[in-house]
Amino acid sequence: MGAIAMNSDTSAKIIDGKAVAKQIREEIAADISRMKEAIGVVPGLAVILVGSRKDSQTYVRNKKKACEGVGITSHEVHLPEDCTEEEVLRHISYFNSDPSVHGILVQLPLPRHMNEEKILNNVCIEKDVDGFHPLNIGRLAMQGREPLFVPCTPKGCMELLHRYGVEVKGKRAVVIGRSNIVGMPASLLLQRQNATISIVHSYTRNPEEITRQADIVISAAGVANLVRGSWIKPGAIVIDVGINPVDTDSTWAMPMMVVLANARLITPIGSGCLEQIDICYVRPFN
Amino acid sequence: MGAIAMNSDTSAKIIDGKAVAKQIREEIAADISRMKEAIGVVPGLAVILVGSRKDSQTYVRNKKKACEGVGITSHEVHLPEDCTEEEVLRHISYFNSDPSVHGILVQLPLPRHMNEEKILNNVCIEKDVDGFHPLNIGRLAMQGREPLFVPCTPKGCMELLHRYGVEVKGKRAVVIGRSNIVGMPASLLLQRQNATISIVHSYTRNPEEITRQADIVISAAGVANLVRGSWIKPGAIVIDVGINPVDTDSTWAMPMMVVLANARLITPIGSGCLEQIDICYVRPFN
């Protein structure tokens, strides 16, 4: 996809996440096909789902579908809400030692009676495709180190910026939200690419003022319609990652998804924190 | 030490690092004395120094002196510049399994022929008192996780802020520099305490403008006299961490301090990035 000059005119341009996702899926399918021919192996992804949350079930279903579409073998385990921590750990241990499984995803959130930290720490670091292991996060934060995997949603944001030819180096970037899953790793990724980052969160006193300074905004807050048009500098690039339940069903549908082979990652991008504004913004993948 | 109202008048107040260090040393000496009485054990710190850099020798000598002052047993190994990586690893392994050693410091920088990452990764995580292991940095970055140790210089900065009653929550904090040793962990610590952080580095286009927004500035850049008085908002709290060789010998003298007992850590604070300005600033420990 050719780079698009985002700032050359004053009308809003929309980053077409759906088209980017399609292109990435095609690239991955070709990679996997070549890999199969060359070494006779295809990537395998194991997903562990505990309980029956609707949204988690949707995510898992979409991951499976995305795997099938590109030639990744998917392994799925669905455990009941009231299963024990030990059962989850047993499945992780099994997948850790299964050579046909190259990545393991434990769908979050886990039921309240389980220790999330303990469970995630048991996923072996070489198969931590979610990149949530503190060792991966530490490497992401450190100069001169490389994480084995990068959390998929912030990685997807960076991929969108790159595929639209947005130069990150030297830009002011504001990340709204500091979750372990999106906001924090997004800020680390932007900084790795030499953006000047600021992180806005629930204790920030003047979020509009800070956000208005940004050339790039990644909005990943758990509050619907938090970011208003007045927060955004004309010409800024905005990626809206938040998923918040609003009155239409569609904002919960997060169908797209990709999965990746060899740490080149794909992501669901949702919608929700951002008011519909007349500035460049990212269309959700769905 | 009572909290000091930093913003109540317009004249500059100086944070007296020397007095804070003295107070902390006294507290630690008392802790260790109680510990010895209660369980018959005192903390042990092992320091591995490779080569004969003057500054490194000074740091190590001061660490040893600080240990002696508070009752920490110190173990020191001094290896020649041309020793092998394996020799360093052998000493680490020895200290890892020595129950009288509770913390291991490998003095950086190591000679060029050594793989720093490999060597640091061999320090067992429970004895990584420098907090430089990526697992510790990852835990520092993540909400809901706790690092076993926090790098001493940024920890010292936070300690100075706390002992002077500076409220961090909700404040705009700017960290100048993003080194693995100071800038990056300082920004993570400030964020953990709910500051709104921005990180200024060599690719930042308008460092003065961003720094001037800060209520708290931590300056940890490798450039002498980078930060000018005009960069600082009146009433801001400034901590100058950089150590840069300038024309007097004294700025290289960094005599003060490490001590640790139960992960409560103290630190050397140097001088260098900051122009002498008529605003609150931290007096170096030396």
Side-chain angles (χ1 to χ4, degrees):
Chain A
M1 181 180 292
I4 295 173
M6 303 291 291
N7 294 319
S8 62
D9 70 43
T10 54
S11 68
K13 290 206 180 59
I14 293 174
I15 297 176
D16 187 349
K18 214 167 176 174
V20 171
K22 182 166 177 288
Q23 188 188 23
I24 292 173
R25 283 197 306 274
E26 287 166 5
E27 292 169 8
I28 290 174
D31 280 355
I32 290 174
S33 165
R34 271 196 300 276
M35 189 180 175
K36 193 174 177 180
E37 246 173 65
I39 56 166
V41 173
V42 296
L45 179 71
V47 181
I48 298 174
L49 171 64
V50 185
S52 46
R53 283 176 62 119
K54 277 252 155 56
D55 54 345
S56 292
Q57 287 179 328
T58 304
Y59 294 151
V60 169
R61 193 168 53 244
N62 289 329
K63 285 166 187 169
K64 193 176 171 184
K65 209 171 120 191
C67 282
E68 284 167 0
V70 296
I72 294 174
T73 311
S74 76
H75 308 249
E76 196 188 322
V77 171
H78 191 168
L79 299 170
E81 179 81 20
D82 61 355
C83 80
T84 64
E85 213 170 85
E86 285 64 40
E87 281 179 88
V88 179
L89 292 175
R90 203 169 56 240
H91 283 282
I92 290 175
S93 165
Y94 171 78
F95 288 132
N96 277 343
S97 55
D98 180 348
S100 72
V101 170
H102 305 90
I104 302 171
L105 296 177
V106 179
Q107 184 65 46
L108 301 180
L110 288 163
R112 281 172 186 279
H113 66 281
M114 292 187 183
N115 181 338
E116 180 187 303
E117 179 173 358
K118 184 178 167 196
I119 287 175
L120 293 183
N121 281 351
N122 267 276
V123 174
C124 91
I125 183 89
E126 290 81 9
K127 300 189 178 184
D128 174 36
V129 281
D130 259 337
F132 292 157
H133 194 290
L135 198 54
N136 268 324
I137 297 291
R139 290 183 181 182
L140 188 64
M142 294 171 85
Q143 290 186 70
R145 307 294 170 95
E146 292 295 331
L148 294 169
F149 297 99
V150 173
C152 69
T153 309
K155 171 96 185 183
C157 296
M158 300 309 288
E159 196 65 31
L160 287 171
L161 294 175
H162 293 318
R163 292 192 180 235
Y164 271 81
V166 176
E167 170 82 276
V168 172
K169 187 169 73 182
K171 292 275 171 65
R172 282 295 300 276
V174 169
V175 177
I176 301 169
R178 53 173 168 168
S179 69
N180 289 344
I181 294 175
V182 186
M184 180 269 289
S187 65
L188 297 176
L189 279 169
L190 287 162
Q191 178 158 284
R192 276 181 98 82
Q193 299 197 4
N194 297 315
T196 299
I197 60 155
S198 299
I199 300 162
V200 162
H201 51 74
S202 53
Y203 288 94
T204 299
R205 291 194 187 143
N206 46 353
E208 322 84 276
E209 189 190 321
I210 296 170
T211 307
R212 214 168 13 238
Q213 296 173 6
D215 305 305
I216 297 169
V217 178
I218 295 189
S219 167
V223 179
N225 293 318
L226 173 71
V227 180
R228 319 302 299 186
S230 60
W231 292 30
I232 306 293
K233 182 170 75 174
I237 316 291
V238 182
I239 298 188
D240 184 14
V241 180
I243 318 270
N244 297 291
V246 291
D247 48 2
T248 67
D249 277 349
S250 63
T251 49
W252 269 109
M254 225 200 10
M256 234 333 46
M257 248 327 318
V258 185
V259 181
L260 98 141
N262 111 62
R264 183 144 118 272
L265 224 287
I266 322 318
T267 185
I269 300 283
S271 65
C273 324
L274 196 70
E275 189 190 21
Q276 290 295 313
I277 49 177
D278 187 27
I279 312 267
C280 308
Y281 70 99
V282 170
R283 183 200 295 278
F285 274 152
N286 59 354
Chain B
M1 182 180 294
I4 295 173
M6 304 290 292
N7 293 319
S8 60
D9 69 46
T10 54
S11 68
K13 290 205 181 60
I14 293 174
I15 298 176
D16 186 349
K18 215 167 173 173
V20 171
K22 181 166 178 286
Q23 187 187 22
I24 292 172
R25 283 197 305 276
E26 289 166 3
E27 291 169 8
I28 290 174
D31 281 355
I32 290 174
S33 165
R34 270 195 302 275
M35 191 180 173
K36 194 174 175 179
E37 244 173 67
I39 57 168
V41 173
V42 296
L45 179 71
V47 180
I48 298 174
L49 171 65
V50 185
S52 47
R53 283 177 62 120
K54 278 250 155 57
D55 54 345
S56 292
Q57 287 180 326
T58 305
Y59 294 151
V60 169
R61 192 168 52 245
N62 289 328
K63 285 167 189 170
K64 195 177 168 183
K65 210 171 118 191
C67 282
E68 283 167 1
V70 297
I72 293 175
T73 309
S74 76
H75 309 250
E76 195 187 323
V77 171
H78 190 169
L79 299 170
E81 178 81 19
D82 61 355
C83 80
T84 63
E85 210 170 88
E86 285 64 41
E87 281 178 87
V88 180
L89 293 174
R90 203 170 55 240
H91 284 282
I92 290 175
S93 165
Y94 170 79
F95 287 133
N96 277 342
S97 54
D98 180 347
S100 73
V101 169
H102 305 91
I104 301 170
L105 295 176
V106 180
Q107 185 65 44
L108 301 180
L110 288 163
R112 283 173 183 280
H113 66 281
M114 292 188 183
N115 181 338
E116 179 187 305
E117 179 174 358
K118 185 178 165 195
I119 288 174
L120 293 185
N121 282 351
N122 268 275
V123 175
C124 92
I125 184 89
E126 290 82 8
K127 299 189 180 184
D128 173 38
V129 279
D130 258 338
F132 292 158
H133 194 291
L135 198 54
N136 268 326
I137 298 290
R139 290 183 181 180
L140 188 64
M142 294 171 84
Q143 291 186 70
R145 306 296 169 94
E146 292 294 331
L148 293 170
F149 297 99
V150 172
C152 68
T153 309
K155 171 99 185 181
C157 296
M158 300 308 288
E159 196 67 29
L160 287 172
L161 295 175
H162 293 319
R163 292 192 181 233
Y164 271 81
V166 175
E167 168 84 275
V168 173
K169 187 169 75 182
K171 291 276 171 65
R172 280 298 297 279
V174 169
V175 177
I176 301 171
R178 52 174 169 167
S179 69
N180 289 344
I181 294 175
V182 186
M184 180 267 291
S187 65
L188 297 177
L189 278 169
L190 287 162
Q191 178 159 284
R192 275 181 98 83
Q193 298 197 4
N194 298 315
T196 299
I197 60 154
S198 299
I199 299 162
V200 163
H201 51 74
S202 53
Y203 288 94
T204 299
R205 292 194 188 144
N206 46 354
E208 322 84 276
E209 189 190 321
I210 296 170
T211 307
R212 214 168 12 239
Q213 296 172 8
D215 305 305
I216 297 169
V217 178
I218 294 189
S219 168
V223 179
N225 292 318
L226 173 70
V227 179
R228 320 302 298 188
S230 61
W231 291 31
I232 305 294
K233 182 170 76 174
I237 315 292
V238 182
I239 298 188
D240 184 14
V241 181
I243 318 269
N244 297 290
V246 292
D247 49 1
T248 66
D249 277 350
S250 63
T251 49
W252 269 110
M254 222 194 20
M256 242 337 35
M257 246 296 16
V258 178
V259 177
L260 83 142
N262 100 67
R264 185 143 115 270
L265 224 292
I266 323 314
T267 185
I269 299 284
S271 66
C273 324
L274 195 70
E275 189 190 20
Q276 289 295 314
I277 50 178
D278 188 27
I279 311 270
C280 307
Y281 70 100
V282 169
R283 184 199 296 278
F285 274 152
N286 58 355

